Amino acid sequence: MPYIRNLTILRSMLKQRRLNVSSLLAPTFDIYNLVPHPGRPLHHVTDSRNTVPRRWKRIGNITGGRVSLNAVLWLNRRHVGPPEQGRERFRVVTAFAPPFVMPATRVENESCLLGLPCLKVKTNSKSDLSRVFSDYHSRRRLEGVEYNISCCAGISIDLLRTLSEDLNFGFDLYLVADGYFGTKRGNHGWNGMTLDVQSGAAHMVFTAFSVTSERSRVIDYSVPFYHSGVSCLTYTQERDVPLSAFLIPFR
């Protein structure tokens, strides 16, 4: 019988006495790692090239689409724990729309008295924005030439900061170059923040961005977090309706 040489083995936790509807929909698997063991446990594995006994150690589990890992001893013995993954970072475009997004004061130490830093850029090109933020996070040689550092505060900025902490992602915030929210210009396509998201220059918009049927055809909206109570009122003059009003269309 050949030896098991796989580093990780999955063992189903679905036992007959535990079968139910929820377990069938989301089965759970244990994850085991083959690690060196100086003694000789009951279930040990050896081979001709390695005389050190090894044993299977439970390091986590998989439930549905969620993976939970405790620690992994890799073959090169340099890493303990799952391999690190880079924190996702997104470009976020915004525009001033008080009280959702407002300009804030930038103090002498280059921090914001309120809100977060946001760049005033001169482009909506995806590649140019990548270069601008790369410079902003390093030596800032392009500051004053291709971008200026400002501060943005307001309801949407607070929501963005809270969301990034809850979902564990980073972001680069900038003000839309042309100042528009997004209008379709006939055969010339879209402008403003709608164009930035449509082209991939920005990954998301955070401001008072109204949901319209035309924009919904080219970009995706989240669930609305604010419903405006603004209404339109017009004046109408009351007048008596004559008994012969039904004859007016035939005159």
Side-chain angles (χ1 to χ4, degrees), residues 93-102 153-157 159 180-182 193 205-212 215 221 225-226 228:
V93 62
T94 189
F96 291 134
F100 296 93
V101 180
M102 304 175 292
I155 299 173
S156 294
I157 303 303
L159 179 62
Y180 292 104
F181 282 70
M193 294 185 292
V205 174
F206 261 83
T207 187
F209 197 51
S210 301
V211 179
T212 67
R215 291 174 183 167
Y221 282 94
F225 67 91
Y226 180 83
S228 174

Side-chain angles (χ1 to χ4, degrees), residues 91-92 119 121 128-138 147 172-174:
R91 282 189 300 273
V92 181
L119 301 191
V121 298
D128 289 344
L129 286 171
S130 297
R131 181 167 51 86
V132 163
F133 280 109
S134 177
D135 180 82
Y136 169 70
H137 291 297
S138 56
Y147 67 90
D172 293 318
L173 184 64
Y174 72 96

Side-chain angles (χ1 to χ4, degrees), residues 93-96 120-125 174-183 185 189-196:
V93 62
T94 189
F96 291 134
K120 292 182 177 179
V121 298
K122 302 177 181 179
T123 179
N124 62 353
S125 167
Y174 72 96
L175 292 162
V176 63
D178 59 12
Y180 292 104
F181 282 70
T183 305
R185 303 165 297 169
W190 291 86
N191 62 9
M193 294 185 292
T194 304
L195 174 61
D196 282 24

Side-chain angles (χ1 to χ4, degrees), residues 1 3 21 36 41 60 82 93 97 105 111 124 126 139 157 165 167 169 171 194 204 221 223-224 238 251:
M1 180 176 179
Y3 294 117
V21 176
V93 62
T105 303
S111 63
N124 62 353
K126 180 179 179 180
R139 299 184 179 182
I157 303 303
E165 293 173 355
L167 300 182
F169 68 85
F171 60 88
T194 304
M204 62 183 82
Y221 282 94
V223 176
E238 294 184 2
R251 291 180 181 176

Side-chain angles (χ1 to χ4, degrees), residues 32-105:
Y32 282 79
N33 190 202
L34 192 60
V35 298
H37 193 272
R40 284 188 173 272
L42 181 61
H43 301 288
H44 68 276
V45 180
T46 59
D47 57 40
S48 58
R49 296 175 300 173
N50 189 353
T51 58
V52 178
R54 292 176 291 171
R55 67 183 179 90
W56 293 110
K57 179 181 179 182
R58 184 180 181 277
I59 58 169
N61 62 74
I62 300 175
T63 304
R66 176 174 297 181
V67 179
S68 176
L69 288 176
N70 299 325
V72 179
L73 180 62
W74 302 105
L75 291 177
N76 57 13
R77 302 180 64 84
R78 294 182 181 177
H79 301 283
V80 176
E84 295 183 359
Q85 296 181 354
R87 189 186 187 199
E88 289 190 272
R89 194 168 192 88
F90 302 102
R91 282 189 300 273
V92 181
V93 62
T94 189
F96 291 134
F100 296 93
V101 180
M102 304 175 292
T105 303

